[in-house]
Amino acid sequence: MTLVLDCRGQRCPLPVIVLARRIADVGPGELVRVDADDPAAPNDVAAWCRMRGHTFVGVEPQPDGVPGIVVRREP
Amino acid sequence: MGGGVGVTVLTVTAPVYLDAASAAPLHPVAREALLAALDDGWADPARLYGAGRRSRQLLDAARQTVAECLGTRADEVSFCANGTQAVHRAVLGGLAGRRRAGDLFVHSAVEHSAVLHAAERHVADGGRVTSVGVDRLGRVDVDAFAAAVRAPGVALAALMSANHEVGTLQPVGEVAEACAATGVPLYVDAAQTAGRGPLPAGWSLASASAHKWGGPPGVGVLAVRKGVRWSSPDPADEREGGRVPGAENVPAVLAAAAALRAVTAEAAAEDARLRPLVDRIRATVAATVPDVELAGDPDRRLPHLVTLSCLYVDGEALLHALDARGFAVSSGSSCTSSTLTPSHVLAAMGVLSHGNVRLSLHRGTTGADVDRFLAEFPAVVADLRRTAGVEGL
């Protein structure tokens, strides 16, 4: 995991906006994890990946139960 | 304008109501019927004196009208206190009636929340549920649905005629064939299509809601096809064929039936009028608003409904901004729901759920209303994106 974004407590669309702002901080092929407890976040991050051409890798629940949404930056 | 120099002419634009899928404005004939029936149909239709008999006569006539418009027999129709009650009684009564066949309830993932709430009650009572997924356009997977109803112990299956959030028509005919092949009754939530045509072929139970078709709020329709097992999920009395307890709201039922007759007669013309307006909304928004996702099937859809999601935009802020400009719309975004969860329909489809608005047109919606919306919407979205600092992201 190259970058972890803590978006706990943020309501959608904020986690998606944070991800969009920071995706360029990692190189192509590298992974970003968005820890977000808004129930819309996994769905909306997946939709954003589809719209922006990145890859939605999946959801890894974190020790506190919050979904860690993993995205791979594509070129 | 006839005003002299120095006179300022203020243009006051009427609000544009675009939420018919929540509640259609009362049809003029429903208003007339309601006012007349308040004088004529107030008595208890179960009583045998003159005023009671008059109420009974009106109620019977309303039932006949609704049956004709929906393509059912009159004795298959029961009036409920609202559409949600009709949904709950269809699901729970349908399951209770088939208790000996099994305890499994199969439904699509995009059913109305009233169906899902009934399913939750079924599970809480020890029953089992299978939810069948949909594709990106919101159309249920027919093969998966057919496989699900072939499982042992299926008591009831549910598939809506058309989705209330994205407008996609469901393959009810194909699913009904799969259900018939295994002897499973199919419940069809027809809330969004009643008044636009008869119930789809193959239904065993069905429900509808008058205020979606221009009737007054507070009238639901439960239809149970002759020979289909149904058992009341709660205390019953002799009303409505033993299917809905309590005295009927005869004036509202009468108004609902009058509206249904009127909109059914107008349905083909309204379809031809509204469908191109929705096409225009879909095409124009896609062309004028960047990063917008149009949800639902663009072709096999309801004539009057379109849903779209704007990337990086807060749904609640979007609703308020549109309301401030006089546009009444609804939203499936999580921030606009009391539970702060996103629309289960949009989530099941995998489309963007934030920045979401649903527009649903009605017989009073004009091309000018649509043009005004299309002229103002791009700036509304751009303003919100500018304020949030997400332009070009």
Side-chain angles (χ1 to χ4, degrees):
Chain A
M1 202 61 58
T2 310
L3 177 66
V4 174
L5 303 170
D6 182 4
C7 295
R8 286 173 179 80
Q10 295 183 8
R11 300 248 300 266
C12 269
L14 288 177
V16 180
I17 292 172
V18 170
L19 172 61
R21 285 206 173 108
R22 300 293 303 278
I23 189 79
D25 293 0
V26 305
E30 293 184 321
L31 299 179
V32 181
R33 195 183 80 214
V34 185
D35 295 345
D37 49 10
D38 186 293
N43 177 72
D44 284 10
V45 167
W48 177 84
C49 287
R50 183 164 43 75
M51 293 170 86
R52 285 291 183 262
H54 300 297
T55 300
F56 178 81
V57 177
V59 175
E60 296 175 355
Q62 298 306 295
D64 61 355
V66 168
I69 308 157
V70 181
V71 170
R72 184 171 60 240
R73 185 189 164 187
E74 301 299 340
Chain B
M1 303 297 292
V5 175
V7 172
T8 306
V9 178
L10 288 175
T11 309
V12 181
T13 42
V16 175
Y17 180 80
L18 296 171
D19 196 19
S22 292
L26 192 66
H27 195 288
V29 306
R31 184 186 159 78
E32 277 174 40
L34 184 60
L35 292 174
L38 286 171
D39 290 330
D40 211 16
W42 52 271
D44 187 336
R47 299 294 170 256
L48 299 179
Y49 38 76
R53 289 200 306 275
R54 177 64 183 145
S55 276
R56 166 61 55 189
Q57 216 173 27
L58 294 172
L59 184 60
D60 288 346
R63 198 182 314 279
Q64 188 61 43
T65 298
V66 169
E68 282 167 16
C69 293
L70 298 182
T72 73
R73 293 165 46 137
D75 60 1
E76 293 171 333
V77 169
S78 301
F79 293 111
C80 295
N82 51 57
T84 301
Q85 188 193 42
V87 170
H88 291 167
R89 299 191 78 74
V91 173
L92 296 177
L95 287 166
R98 291 257 302 163
R99 202 174 281 130
R100 271 179 291 180
D103 69 343
L104 184 53
F105 177 42
V106 175
H107 64 76
S108 87
V110 296
E111 295 300 303
H112 191 275
S113 55
V115 174
L116 303 187
H117 291 149
E120 286 166 18
R121 165 55 64 91
H122 179 60
V123 169
D125 290 344
R128 296 173 301 143
V129 166
T130 300
S131 176
V132 181
V134 298
D135 63 15
R136 182 63 45 72
L137 297 178
R139 184 179 154 96
V140 78
D141 182 332
V142 173
D143 292 338
F145 204 108
V149 296
R150 278 195 300 269
V154 178
L156 181 68
L159 181 63
M160 63 199 339
S161 53
N163 187 265
H164 55 298
E165 283 191 39
V166 299
T168 300
L169 298 179
Q170 296 295 347
V172 174
E174 292 167 69
V175 163
E177 279 175 29
C179 290
T182 55
V184 170
L186 178 66
Y187 157 56
V188 177
D189 167 6
Q192 293 299 335
T193 53
R196 301 180 191 281
L199 294 175
W203 65 276
S204 292
L205 301 115
S207 65
S209 174
H211 75 151
K212 313 292 192 200
W213 72 58
V219 179
V221 173
L222 167 67
V224 180
R225 183 152 260 181
K226 211 79 191 157
V228 170
R229 288 181 189 278
W230 186 93
S231 179
S232 182
D234 53 19
D237 59 23
E238 75 285 1
R239 308 276 178 164
E240 294 302 297
R243 293 198 169 124
V244 188
E248 299 86 347
N249 182 348
V250 176
V253 164
L254 211 68
L260 184 58
R261 189 202 295 281
V263 299
T264 300
E266 297 165 352
E270 277 296 278
D271 188 301
R273 192 180 72 84
L274 295 176
R275 197 170 287 277
L277 291 180
V278 167
D279 283 335
R280 195 196 302 172
I281 294 171
R282 293 185 75 100
T284 308
V285 168
T288 58
V289 182
D291 287 327
V292 67
E293 190 158 52
L294 286 147
D297 197 309
D299 303 312
R300 286 180 296 186
R301 61 166 173 83
L302 290 168
H304 67 298
L305 189 153
V306 56
T307 291
L308 49 98
S309 298
C310 305
L311 190 61
Y312 306 137
V313 172
D314 180 288
E316 190 175 15
L318 185 53
L319 277 200
H320 291 316
L322 288 171
D323 183 46
R325 289 171 179 248
F327 298 105
V329 303
S330 74
S331 172
S333 295
S334 54
C335 49
T336 66
S337 84
S338 56
T339 55
L340 296 179
T341 53
S343 147
H344 67 275
V345 173
L346 299 175
M349 295 164 62
V351 303
L352 201 65
S353 77
H354 68 248
N356 176 262
V357 289
R358 176 187 70 182
L359 316 178
S360 47
L361 285 49
H362 52 90
R363 61 190 297 282
T365 308
T366 64
D369 292 339
V370 168
D371 287 341
R372 199 185 125 206
F373 176 84
L374 292 173
E376 298 194 27
F377 188 64
V380 169
V381 174
D383 282 350
L384 291 170
R385 284 179 172 156
R386 195 174 308 120
T387 306
V390 296
E391 292 163 296
L393 207 56

